[in-house]
Amino acid sequence: MSVGQEFWIVAAGCSKEQGSSSEKEAYLAALKSNSTIAPRGRGAEDGPWKFDVPDGDRSLLFGSFDNLIRLTDDLQKADSSVDSILHRLERQYVELDPKADFKVKSQRQEKPFLEYLKNWQWDEAKYPKTRSILDNLTLLISVVTKLDEEARNKTAQYNEFKTAKGNLAKKEGASVTGRDLVDVLTPDVVKINGTADDDFIYTDHITTVVVILARGTDQEFLASYETIVEKVIPLSARKFPGLDDKDGNSLWRVLMFKSAAEAFKKHCREKRIIARDFEYSDDGFRKLKMQREQLEDSVKRQHELVRGLYQAAWSDAMVAWTHIKAMRVFVESVLRFGMPPRFASFIFAPKPGANVAVRKALADVLAKGIPSGPQDKGGDAQDDEEYYPYVSLAFIPFNVPR
C-alpha cells in the first residue's frame, strides 16, 4: 500500500433475527463483485474485507440511549486525538529509521499492517466486552497518552546523547582554523620524547603556544615573533610538517615563559595571527578518544532503544485506533439501524479519483438504492459533515513520505 492511501469502513443494517451471518456474506459477495468498488486488477490489498465489529449477542455494552449520543462526540474526539498521536509516532519512527517496518503486534501475533487489517478481530483481552464502551475508551486513551509521553521523554534523552556526541565529535573541515586542534595535533604527528627537542614543552616556567599562519606570512612572522613581547625563547618557532590545509594555513609552535603567553596571544590577534588556546596532552587525547567511543556506543544503544519503542508504540496506537473505529461503527450502527445491534461492516480502499462513483455503488449494494448523499442530517449535523445511507468512516493509515 502507498503513503496517503485512504481506507473506508462502511456498515449496513441486517435483519433483526438470529443468524445474520449469511446476510453479511451476501453483502461481502456483492461488494466484491461490484466493479466500481472492487475493480478487477487492483489486487487483494485493496479489499473489501470484513471488519468484524461485535454485534448481536456478543455486542458491546453502552447502557442507555443517552450514553450512545454522548459516545458519538467522545469517540469522534478520541479518534482525532489518537490519529494525531499515531501519525506523530509514524513520523518520528521514519526519522529514526527511513526503512521502518510497520508491523502490528496484537493478540500474541505480529503481522504487517494490511494483514492485520484484513483479519481484524476485537481484542477481548485488552478491551473486554463485559466492560462498557466508555470505560474501554477511557482506558484506551490513557494507554495511548502514556505511550506518547514515554516516546517524547525517550526521544529527549536520545537527543541529549546526540548533542553530547556532537559537542565532542571531530569537527571535520578543510580549514585548520575551524578544527579542534586535539584532532589535528595527535600523538602520531607530535614528537614527545621527554627531551628539549619535544614539540610541546611544559614546565613550571616554560609553556608552548600554537599559532596558525596564513599562506605567505611565515617569513614575516619568523622575523618578528621573538620581539613581539619579552620572554619569548629565541629560535623556538617550529612548523608542524604535513598539516597545511588546502588554503595554505600552517601550524607552528613557539616556546616562551608562562608570564608572556597571554600578552603574546593578544599581540598576535592584533596582527591578525591566530593564536590558539591549546595544551597538548597524550592522556587528554586518549581520554577524549575514549569519551567519544563511549558516547558513540551510548548513542547507538539509545537509537535502538528508541527505535524499538517507537515500533511498539506505533503498533499499540494503531491497535487502539482501529478499536476506536470499531466503537464508532458500533455506536453509529445502533443509532441508525436500531436495536438489537445487527449490522455488517466492511473495510476497503476506494480507487483514487472515483469517490462519487464508489459512493453510488455503495448505496446500491448497502442501502438498496437510497441516494448516496451526502444528505442533510438536520439540525444535529455539523456544517461540513457528510451523511450517507450507510455508516461510513474514512481514515489514512500512513501519511509520512519515505
Short mmCIF file of all heavy atoms in Angstrom, two decimals, residues 337-402:
data_model
loop_
_atom_site.label_atom_id
_atom_site.label_comp_id
_atom_site.label_asym_id
_atom_site.label_seq_id
_atom_site.Cartn_x
_atom_site.Cartn_y
_atom_site.Cartn_z
N PHE A 337 -29.53 1.92 12.80
CA PHE A 337 -30.29 0.72 12.45
C PHE A 337 -31.11 0.15 13.60
O PHE A 337 -31.88 -0.79 13.42
CB PHE A 337 -29.35 -0.37 11.90
CG PHE A 337 -28.45 0.12 10.80
CD1 PHE A 337 -27.07 -0.04 10.89
CD2 PHE A 337 -28.97 0.76 9.68
CE1 PHE A 337 -26.23 0.41 9.88
CE2 PHE A 337 -28.13 1.22 8.66
CZ PHE A 337 -26.76 1.05 8.77
N GLY A 338 -30.94 0.71 14.82
CA GLY A 338 -31.76 0.31 15.95
C GLY A 338 -31.25 -0.93 16.67
O GLY A 338 -30.21 -1.49 16.37
N MET A 339 -32.05 -1.32 17.65
CA MET A 339 -31.72 -2.48 18.49
C MET A 339 -32.54 -3.68 18.05
O MET A 339 -33.65 -3.52 17.52
CB MET A 339 -32.01 -2.15 19.95
CG MET A 339 -31.06 -1.14 20.56
SD MET A 339 -29.41 -1.83 20.81
CE MET A 339 -29.73 -2.99 22.16
N PRO A 340 -32.09 -4.93 18.29
CA PRO A 340 -30.76 -5.26 18.79
C PRO A 340 -29.69 -4.97 17.75
O PRO A 340 -30.00 -4.87 16.56
CB PRO A 340 -30.87 -6.76 19.09
CG PRO A 340 -31.90 -7.25 18.12
CD PRO A 340 -32.91 -6.15 18.01
N PRO A 341 -28.42 -4.81 18.17
CA PRO A 341 -27.37 -4.43 17.23
C PRO A 341 -27.08 -5.56 16.23
O PRO A 341 -26.47 -6.56 16.59
CB PRO A 341 -26.15 -4.18 18.12
CG PRO A 341 -26.67 -4.13 19.53
CD PRO A 341 -27.89 -4.96 19.54
N ARG A 342 -27.56 -5.38 15.00
CA ARG A 342 -27.25 -6.36 13.95
C ARG A 342 -26.90 -5.58 12.69
O ARG A 342 -27.74 -4.89 12.12
CB ARG A 342 -28.44 -7.30 13.70
CG ARG A 342 -28.76 -8.17 14.91
CD ARG A 342 -29.58 -9.39 14.53
NE ARG A 342 -29.99 -10.13 15.72
CZ ARG A 342 -29.20 -10.98 16.35
NH1 ARG A 342 -27.98 -11.21 15.92
NH2 ARG A 342 -29.65 -11.62 17.43
N PHE A 343 -25.64 -5.70 12.32
CA PHE A 343 -25.17 -4.94 11.15
C PHE A 343 -23.95 -5.65 10.57
O PHE A 343 -23.35 -6.53 11.21
CB PHE A 343 -24.80 -3.51 11.54
CG PHE A 343 -23.81 -3.41 12.66
CD1 PHE A 343 -22.45 -3.39 12.40
CD2 PHE A 343 -24.24 -3.36 13.99
CE1 PHE A 343 -21.52 -3.33 13.44
CE2 PHE A 343 -23.32 -3.29 15.03
CZ PHE A 343 -21.96 -3.28 14.76
N ALA A 344 -23.60 -5.29 9.36
CA ALA A 344 -22.43 -5.85 8.69
C ALA A 344 -21.49 -4.71 8.34
O ALA A 344 -21.92 -3.71 7.78
CB ALA A 344 -22.85 -6.59 7.42
N SER A 345 -20.23 -4.84 8.71
CA SER A 345 -19.26 -3.77 8.43
C SER A 345 -18.09 -4.32 7.62
O SER A 345 -17.67 -5.47 7.80
CB SER A 345 -18.77 -3.12 9.73
OG SER A 345 -18.34 -4.09 10.65
N PHE A 346 -17.57 -3.45 6.76
CA PHE A 346 -16.52 -3.86 5.84
C PHE A 346 -15.50 -2.73 5.69
O PHE A 346 -15.78 -1.57 6.01
CB PHE A 346 -17.11 -4.20 4.46
CG PHE A 346 -18.25 -5.16 4.53
CD1 PHE A 346 -19.57 -4.70 4.58
CD2 PHE A 346 -18.03 -6.53 4.59
CE1 PHE A 346 -20.63 -5.58 4.67
CE2 PHE A 346 -19.09 -7.42 4.67
CZ PHE A 346 -20.40 -6.95 4.72
N ILE A 347 -14.33 -3.10 5.20
CA ILE A 347 -13.27 -2.11 5.01
C ILE A 347 -12.62 -2.32 3.65
O ILE A 347 -12.46 -3.46 3.20
CB ILE A 347 -12.23 -2.20 6.15
CG1 ILE A 347 -11.24 -1.06 6.09
CG2 ILE A 347 -11.50 -3.54 6.13
CD1 ILE A 347 -10.42 -0.90 7.36
N PHE A 348 -12.30 -1.23 2.97
CA PHE A 348 -11.64 -1.32 1.66
C PHE A 348 -11.01 0.02 1.32
O PHE A 348 -11.27 1.04 1.98
CB PHE A 348 -12.64 -1.73 0.57
CG PHE A 348 -13.63 -0.66 0.20
CD1 PHE A 348 -13.49 0.06 -0.99
CD2 PHE A 348 -14.71 -0.37 1.03
CE1 PHE A 348 -14.40 1.06 -1.32
CE2 PHE A 348 -15.62 0.62 0.70
CZ PHE A 348 -15.47 1.34 -0.48
N ALA A 349 -10.14 0.00 0.30
CA ALA A 349 -9.51 1.23 -0.18
C ALA A 349 -10.15 1.61 -1.50
O ALA A 349 -10.02 0.88 -2.49
CB ALA A 349 -8.01 1.01 -0.36
N PRO A 350 -10.89 2.72 -1.55
CA PRO A 350 -11.53 3.11 -2.81
C PRO A 350 -10.50 3.51 -3.86
O PRO A 350 -9.41 3.99 -3.53
CB PRO A 350 -12.39 4.31 -2.40
CG PRO A 350 -11.70 4.87 -1.20
CD PRO A 350 -11.11 3.71 -0.49
N LYS A 351 -10.85 3.31 -5.10
CA LYS A 351 -9.97 3.71 -6.20
C LYS A 351 -9.82 5.23 -6.18
O LYS A 351 -10.80 5.96 -6.13
CB LYS A 351 -10.56 3.26 -7.53
CG LYS A 351 -9.68 3.58 -8.73
CD LYS A 351 -10.32 3.09 -10.01
CE LYS A 351 -9.47 3.45 -11.22
NZ LYS A 351 -10.10 3.03 -12.49
N PRO A 352 -8.57 5.74 -6.21
CA PRO A 352 -8.36 7.19 -6.18
C PRO A 352 -9.08 7.90 -7.33
O PRO A 352 -9.06 7.42 -8.47
CB PRO A 352 -6.83 7.33 -6.33
CG PRO A 352 -6.28 6.03 -5.83
CD PRO A 352 -7.29 5.00 -6.21
N GLY A 353 -9.75 9.00 -7.00
CA GLY A 353 -10.43 9.80 -8.01
C GLY A 353 -11.80 9.28 -8.40
O GLY A 353 -12.46 9.86 -9.28
N ALA A 354 -12.25 8.19 -7.76
CA ALA A 354 -13.55 7.61 -8.14
C ALA A 354 -14.54 7.66 -6.99
O ALA A 354 -15.48 6.86 -6.94
CB ALA A 354 -13.34 6.16 -8.59
N ASN A 355 -14.39 8.61 -6.09
CA ASN A 355 -15.22 8.64 -4.89
C ASN A 355 -16.71 8.72 -5.18
O ASN A 355 -17.51 8.02 -4.57
CB ASN A 355 -14.82 9.82 -4.00
CG ASN A 355 -13.50 9.56 -3.26
OD1 ASN A 355 -12.80 8.60 -3.58
ND2 ASN A 355 -13.18 10.41 -2.31
N VAL A 356 -17.09 9.58 -6.12
CA VAL A 356 -18.52 9.76 -6.42
C VAL A 356 -19.13 8.45 -6.93
O VAL A 356 -20.20 8.02 -6.48
CB VAL A 356 -18.72 10.89 -7.44
CG1 VAL A 356 -20.19 10.97 -7.86
CG2 VAL A 356 -18.26 12.22 -6.87
N ALA A 357 -18.42 7.80 -7.85
CA ALA A 357 -18.93 6.54 -8.41
C ALA A 357 -18.97 5.45 -7.35
O ALA A 357 -19.92 4.65 -7.29
CB ALA A 357 -18.05 6.11 -9.58
N VAL A 358 -17.96 5.42 -6.48
CA VAL A 358 -17.91 4.40 -5.43
C VAL A 358 -19.04 4.63 -4.43
O VAL A 358 -19.69 3.67 -3.98
CB VAL A 358 -16.54 4.40 -4.73
CG1 VAL A 358 -16.55 3.46 -3.52
CG2 VAL A 358 -15.44 3.99 -5.69
N ARG A 359 -19.31 5.90 -4.10
CA ARG A 359 -20.42 6.19 -3.17
C ARG A 359 -21.75 5.71 -3.74
O ARG A 359 -22.58 5.15 -3.03
CB ARG A 359 -20.47 7.70 -2.90
CG ARG A 359 -19.34 8.24 -2.03
CD ARG A 359 -19.40 7.69 -0.63
NE ARG A 359 -18.35 8.24 0.22
CZ ARG A 359 -18.06 7.77 1.42
NH1 ARG A 359 -18.72 6.72 1.91
NH2 ARG A 359 -17.10 8.31 2.15
N LYS A 360 -21.95 5.93 -5.01
CA LYS A 360 -23.20 5.49 -5.65
C LYS A 360 -23.30 3.96 -5.62
O LYS A 360 -24.36 3.39 -5.32
CB LYS A 360 -23.27 5.99 -7.09
CG LYS A 360 -24.57 5.64 -7.80
CD LYS A 360 -24.58 6.21 -9.20
CE LYS A 360 -25.93 5.92 -9.88
NZ LYS A 360 -26.26 4.49 -9.91
N ALA A 361 -22.18 3.29 -5.91
CA ALA A 361 -22.18 1.82 -5.90
C ALA A 361 -22.44 1.29 -4.49
O ALA A 361 -23.16 0.30 -4.31
CB ALA A 361 -20.85 1.31 -6.43
N LEU A 362 -21.86 1.94 -3.47
CA LEU A 362 -22.10 1.51 -2.09
C LEU A 362 -23.57 1.67 -1.72
O LEU A 362 -24.15 0.81 -1.03
CB LEU A 362 -21.23 2.34 -1.13
CG LEU A 362 -19.74 2.00 -1.09
CD1 LEU A 362 -18.98 3.02 -0.25
CD2 LEU A 362 -19.51 0.59 -0.54
N ALA A 363 -24.18 2.76 -2.17
CA ALA A 363 -25.60 2.95 -1.88
C ALA A 363 -26.43 1.86 -2.54
O ALA A 363 -27.40 1.36 -1.95
CB ALA A 363 -26.04 4.33 -2.37
N ASP A 364 -26.06 1.46 -3.75
CA ASP A 364 -26.80 0.41 -4.46
C ASP A 364 -26.70 -0.92 -3.71
O ASP A 364 -27.67 -1.68 -3.63
CB ASP A 364 -26.25 0.24 -5.88
CG ASP A 364 -26.59 1.43 -6.78
OD1 ASP A 364 -27.54 2.17 -6.43
OD2 ASP A 364 -25.91 1.63 -7.79
N VAL A 365 -25.49 -1.20 -3.16
CA VAL A 365 -25.27 -2.50 -2.51
C VAL A 365 -25.77 -2.50 -1.06
O VAL A 365 -26.45 -3.43 -0.63
CB VAL A 365 -23.77 -2.87 -2.55
CG1 VAL A 365 -23.51 -4.13 -1.73
CG2 VAL A 365 -23.30 -3.06 -3.98
N LEU A 366 -25.42 -1.44 -0.31
CA LEU A 366 -25.68 -1.45 1.13
C LEU A 366 -27.00 -0.81 1.52
O LEU A 366 -27.52 -1.09 2.60
CB LEU A 366 -24.54 -0.71 1.87
CG LEU A 366 -23.13 -1.28 1.68
CD1 LEU A 366 -22.12 -0.43 2.45
CD2 LEU A 366 -23.05 -2.74 2.13
N ALA A 367 -27.50 0.07 0.66
CA ALA A 367 -28.71 0.80 1.05
C ALA A 367 -29.85 0.59 0.06
O ALA A 367 -30.82 1.36 0.04
CB ALA A 367 -28.41 2.29 1.19
N LYS A 368 -29.69 -0.41 -0.77
CA LYS A 368 -30.75 -0.80 -1.71
C LYS A 368 -31.21 0.38 -2.57
O LYS A 368 -32.41 0.61 -2.78
CB LYS A 368 -31.95 -1.38 -0.96
CG LYS A 368 -31.59 -2.52 -0.01
CD LYS A 368 -30.98 -3.70 -0.75
CE LYS A 368 -30.81 -4.89 0.19
NZ LYS A 368 -29.64 -4.75 1.07
N GLY A 369 -30.22 1.17 -3.03
CA GLY A 369 -30.54 2.22 -3.99
C GLY A 369 -30.93 3.54 -3.41
O GLY A 369 -31.25 4.48 -4.16
N ILE A 370 -30.92 3.70 -2.08
CA ILE A 370 -31.21 5.02 -1.50
C ILE A 370 -30.13 5.98 -1.99
O ILE A 370 -28.96 5.61 -2.07
CB ILE A 370 -31.20 4.94 0.05
CG1 ILE A 370 -32.30 3.99 0.53
CG2 ILE A 370 -31.37 6.31 0.67
CD1 ILE A 370 -32.26 3.73 2.02
N PRO A 371 -30.46 7.23 -2.34
CA PRO A 371 -29.46 8.17 -2.87
C PRO A 371 -28.21 8.20 -2.00
O PRO A 371 -28.28 8.15 -0.77
CB PRO A 371 -30.20 9.52 -2.85
CG PRO A 371 -31.63 9.15 -3.00
CD PRO A 371 -31.81 7.86 -2.26
N SER A 372 -27.06 8.28 -2.67
CA SER A 372 -25.79 8.09 -1.98
C SER A 372 -25.31 9.29 -1.18
O SER A 372 -24.31 9.23 -0.52
CB SER A 372 -24.71 7.72 -2.99
OG SER A 372 -24.55 8.75 -3.95
N GLY A 373 -26.00 10.41 -1.26
CA GLY A 373 -25.61 11.57 -0.44
C GLY A 373 -24.37 12.24 -0.99
O GLY A 373 -23.95 11.99 -2.09
N PRO A 374 -23.71 13.17 -0.24
CA PRO A 374 -24.09 13.48 1.14
C PRO A 374 -25.45 14.15 1.26
O PRO A 374 -25.84 14.93 0.41
CB PRO A 374 -22.97 14.41 1.62
CG PRO A 374 -22.40 14.98 0.38
CD PRO A 374 -22.56 13.95 -0.68
N GLN A 375 -26.20 13.84 2.34
CA GLN A 375 -27.52 14.37 2.54
C GLN A 375 -27.56 15.19 3.82
O GLN A 375 -26.68 15.13 4.65
CB GLN A 375 -28.54 13.22 2.64
CG GLN A 375 -28.55 12.32 1.40
CD GLN A 375 -29.38 11.08 1.63
OE1 GLN A 375 -30.18 11.03 2.56
NE2 GLN A 375 -29.18 10.08 0.80
N ASP A 376 -28.65 15.91 4.00
CA ASP A 376 -28.82 16.75 5.19
C ASP A 376 -29.24 15.88 6.36
O ASP A 376 -30.19 15.12 6.28
CB ASP A 376 -29.90 17.81 4.90
CG ASP A 376 -30.08 18.77 6.07
OD1 ASP A 376 -29.22 18.73 6.97
OD2 ASP A 376 -31.05 19.53 6.04
N LYS A 377 -28.52 16.00 7.47
CA LYS A 377 -28.87 15.24 8.67
C LYS A 377 -29.78 16.03 9.59
O LYS A 377 -30.12 15.58 10.68
CB LYS A 377 -27.59 14.87 9.45
CG LYS A 377 -26.77 13.80 8.80
CD LYS A 377 -25.53 13.49 9.59
CE LYS A 377 -25.83 12.73 10.85
NZ LYS A 377 -24.61 12.29 11.54
N GLY A 378 -30.14 17.23 9.17
CA GLY A 378 -31.00 18.04 10.02
C GLY A 378 -30.19 18.91 10.95
O GLY A 378 -29.01 19.14 10.77
N GLY A 379 -30.83 19.39 11.99
CA GLY A 379 -30.21 20.36 12.89
C GLY A 379 -29.02 19.83 13.64
O GLY A 379 -28.19 20.61 14.10
N ASP A 380 -28.87 18.52 13.81
CA ASP A 380 -27.77 17.97 14.58
C ASP A 380 -26.48 17.84 13.77
O ASP A 380 -25.44 17.56 14.31
CB ASP A 380 -28.12 16.58 15.14
CG ASP A 380 -29.23 16.69 16.18
OD1 ASP A 380 -29.33 17.76 16.81
OD2 ASP A 380 -29.97 15.71 16.33
N ALA A 381 -26.55 18.03 12.47
CA ALA A 381 -25.40 17.81 11.62
C ALA A 381 -24.43 18.98 11.68
O ALA A 381 -24.82 20.12 11.78
CB ALA A 381 -25.84 17.60 10.17
N GLN A 382 -23.14 18.67 11.63
CA GLN A 382 -22.14 19.71 11.51
C GLN A 382 -22.18 20.27 10.09
O GLN A 382 -22.57 19.59 9.15
CB GLN A 382 -20.74 19.13 11.81
CG GLN A 382 -20.60 18.56 13.22
CD GLN A 382 -20.67 19.64 14.27
OE1 GLN A 382 -20.22 20.75 14.04
NE2 GLN A 382 -21.25 19.32 15.41
N ASP A 383 -21.69 21.50 9.95
CA ASP A 383 -21.77 22.15 8.63
C ASP A 383 -21.00 21.38 7.57
O ASP A 383 -21.39 21.35 6.42
CB ASP A 383 -21.21 23.58 8.73
CG ASP A 383 -22.13 24.48 9.56
OD1 ASP A 383 -23.31 24.12 9.70
OD2 ASP A 383 -21.65 25.52 10.04
N ASP A 384 -19.86 20.78 7.97
CA ASP A 384 -19.03 20.09 6.98
C ASP A 384 -19.14 18.57 7.07
O ASP A 384 -18.34 17.84 6.53
CB ASP A 384 -17.56 20.50 7.16
CG ASP A 384 -17.04 20.17 8.55
OD1 ASP A 384 -17.86 19.81 9.40
OD2 ASP A 384 -15.82 20.27 8.75
N GLU A 385 -20.14 18.06 7.77
CA GLU A 385 -20.27 16.61 7.96
C GLU A 385 -21.10 16.01 6.83
O GLU A 385 -22.18 16.50 6.50
CB GLU A 385 -20.92 16.33 9.31
CG GLU A 385 -20.91 14.85 9.66
CD GLU A 385 -21.43 14.60 11.06
OE1 GLU A 385 -21.78 15.58 11.74
OE2 GLU A 385 -21.50 13.44 11.45
N GLU A 386 -20.59 14.94 6.26
CA GLU A 386 -21.29 14.27 5.17
C GLU A 386 -22.09 13.09 5.72
O GLU A 386 -21.66 12.41 6.65
CB GLU A 386 -20.28 13.79 4.13
CG GLU A 386 -19.56 14.95 3.44
CD GLU A 386 -18.55 14.46 2.41
OE1 GLU A 386 -18.07 13.33 2.55
OE2 GLU A 386 -18.27 15.22 1.47
N TYR A 387 -23.25 12.88 5.10
CA TYR A 387 -24.13 11.82 5.56
C TYR A 387 -24.47 10.92 4.37
O TYR A 387 -24.80 11.40 3.29
CB TYR A 387 -25.42 12.42 6.13
CG TYR A 387 -26.44 11.38 6.53
CD1 TYR A 387 -26.33 10.69 7.72
CD2 TYR A 387 -27.52 11.09 5.70
CE1 TYR A 387 -27.26 9.74 8.09
CE2 TYR A 387 -28.46 10.14 6.05
CZ TYR A 387 -28.33 9.47 7.25
OH TYR A 387 -29.25 8.51 7.60
N TYR A 388 -24.36 9.60 4.60
CA TYR A 388 -24.67 8.62 3.56
C TYR A 388 -25.70 7.64 4.10
O TYR A 388 -25.85 7.51 5.32
CB TYR A 388 -23.38 7.89 3.13
CG TYR A 388 -22.32 8.83 2.62
CD1 TYR A 388 -21.29 9.24 3.46
CD2 TYR A 388 -22.37 9.34 1.33
CE1 TYR A 388 -20.32 10.13 3.01
CE2 TYR A 388 -21.41 10.22 0.88
CZ TYR A 388 -20.39 10.62 1.72
OH TYR A 388 -19.45 11.50 1.28
N PRO A 389 -26.37 6.92 3.22
CA PRO A 389 -27.40 5.97 3.68
C PRO A 389 -26.80 4.67 4.23
O PRO A 389 -27.43 3.62 4.17
CB PRO A 389 -28.22 5.71 2.40
CG PRO A 389 -27.26 5.91 1.30
CD PRO A 389 -26.34 7.02 1.75
N TYR A 390 -25.61 4.74 4.72
CA TYR A 390 -24.93 3.63 5.37
C TYR A 390 -23.88 4.28 6.28
O TYR A 390 -23.50 5.44 6.08
CB TYR A 390 -24.24 2.70 4.36
CG TYR A 390 -23.46 3.44 3.30
CD1 TYR A 390 -22.16 3.84 3.52
CD2 TYR A 390 -24.06 3.78 2.08
CE1 TYR A 390 -21.45 4.56 2.58
CE2 TYR A 390 -23.37 4.50 1.11
CZ TYR A 390 -22.06 4.88 1.37
OH TYR A 390 -21.36 5.61 0.42
N VAL A 391 -23.43 3.57 7.28
CA VAL A 391 -22.37 4.11 8.14
C VAL A 391 -21.08 4.19 7.34
O VAL A 391 -20.75 3.26 6.60
CB VAL A 391 -22.17 3.22 9.39
CG1 VAL A 391 -20.95 3.67 10.19
CG2 VAL A 391 -23.42 3.24 10.25
N SER A 392 -20.36 5.29 7.47
CA SER A 392 -19.12 5.45 6.70
C SER A 392 -18.09 6.23 7.50
O SER A 392 -18.37 7.31 8.02
CB SER A 392 -19.42 6.19 5.39
OG SER A 392 -18.23 6.38 4.65
N LEU A 393 -16.89 5.66 7.61
CA LEU A 393 -15.75 6.32 8.23
C LEU A 393 -14.56 6.20 7.29
O LEU A 393 -14.37 5.16 6.66
CB LEU A 393 -15.37 5.66 9.56
CG LEU A 393 -16.43 5.62 10.67
CD1 LEU A 393 -15.89 4.82 11.86
CD2 LEU A 393 -16.81 7.02 11.10
N ALA A 394 -13.79 7.26 7.17
CA ALA A 394 -12.60 7.24 6.33
C ALA A 394 -11.36 7.48 7.18
O ALA A 394 -11.42 8.21 8.17
CB ALA A 394 -12.71 8.29 5.24
N PHE A 395 -10.26 6.85 6.80
CA PHE A 395 -9.01 7.11 7.52
C PHE A 395 -7.82 6.82 6.61
O PHE A 395 -7.91 6.07 5.64
CB PHE A 395 -8.92 6.29 8.81
CG PHE A 395 -8.76 4.81 8.61
CD1 PHE A 395 -7.53 4.19 8.79
CD2 PHE A 395 -9.85 4.02 8.27
CE1 PHE A 395 -7.39 2.83 8.63
CE2 PHE A 395 -9.71 2.64 8.10
CZ PHE A 395 -8.47 2.05 8.28
N ILE A 396 -6.69 7.48 6.94
CA ILE A 396 -5.44 7.31 6.18
C ILE A 396 -4.40 6.77 7.16
O ILE A 396 -3.93 7.49 8.04
CB ILE A 396 -4.99 8.64 5.57
CG1 ILE A 396 -6.03 9.16 4.58
CG2 ILE A 396 -3.64 8.49 4.88
CD1 ILE A 396 -5.74 10.54 4.04
N PRO A 397 -4.03 5.50 7.03
CA PRO A 397 -3.09 4.89 7.99
C PRO A 397 -1.70 5.51 8.00
O PRO A 397 -1.09 5.68 9.03
CB PRO A 397 -3.03 3.42 7.55
CG PRO A 397 -4.26 3.20 6.73
CD PRO A 397 -4.54 4.51 6.07
N PHE A 398 -1.19 5.85 6.80
CA PHE A 398 0.18 6.35 6.68
C PHE A 398 0.17 7.65 5.88
O PHE A 398 -0.41 7.72 4.81
CB PHE A 398 1.09 5.34 5.98
CG PHE A 398 1.19 4.01 6.69
CD1 PHE A 398 0.43 2.93 6.26
CD2 PHE A 398 2.01 3.85 7.78
CE1 PHE A 398 0.51 1.71 6.90
CE2 PHE A 398 2.09 2.63 8.44
CZ PHE A 398 1.35 1.56 8.00
N ASN A 399 0.83 8.67 6.42
CA ASN A 399 0.90 9.93 5.67
C ASN A 399 2.29 10.56 5.66
O ASN A 399 2.45 11.71 5.30
CB ASN A 399 -0.12 10.94 6.21
CG ASN A 399 0.11 11.31 7.66
OD1 ASN A 399 1.17 10.99 8.22
ND2 ASN A 399 -0.84 11.98 8.28
N VAL A 400 3.31 9.78 6.08
CA VAL A 400 4.68 10.31 6.09
C VAL A 400 5.47 9.74 4.90
O VAL A 400 5.64 8.52 4.80
CB VAL A 400 5.40 9.94 7.40
CG1 VAL A 400 6.84 10.47 7.39
CG2 VAL A 400 4.65 10.50 8.60
N PRO A 401 5.92 10.58 3.98
CA PRO A 401 6.68 10.10 2.81
C PRO A 401 7.93 9.37 3.26
O PRO A 401 8.61 9.75 4.21
CB PRO A 401 7.04 11.38 2.05
CG PRO A 401 6.05 12.40 2.53
CD PRO A 401 5.74 12.05 3.94
N ARG A 402 8.27 8.30 2.54
CA ARG A 402 9.51 7.55 2.84
C ARG A 402 9.92 6.74 1.62
O ARG A 402 9.19 6.64 0.64
CB ARG A 402 9.30 6.64 4.04
CG ARG A 402 8.09 5.71 3.99
CD ARG A 402 7.98 4.96 5.30
NE ARG A 402 6.86 4.08 5.34
CZ ARG A 402 5.62 4.45 5.65
NH1 ARG A 402 5.40 5.72 5.98
NH2 ARG A 402 4.62 3.60 5.68
#
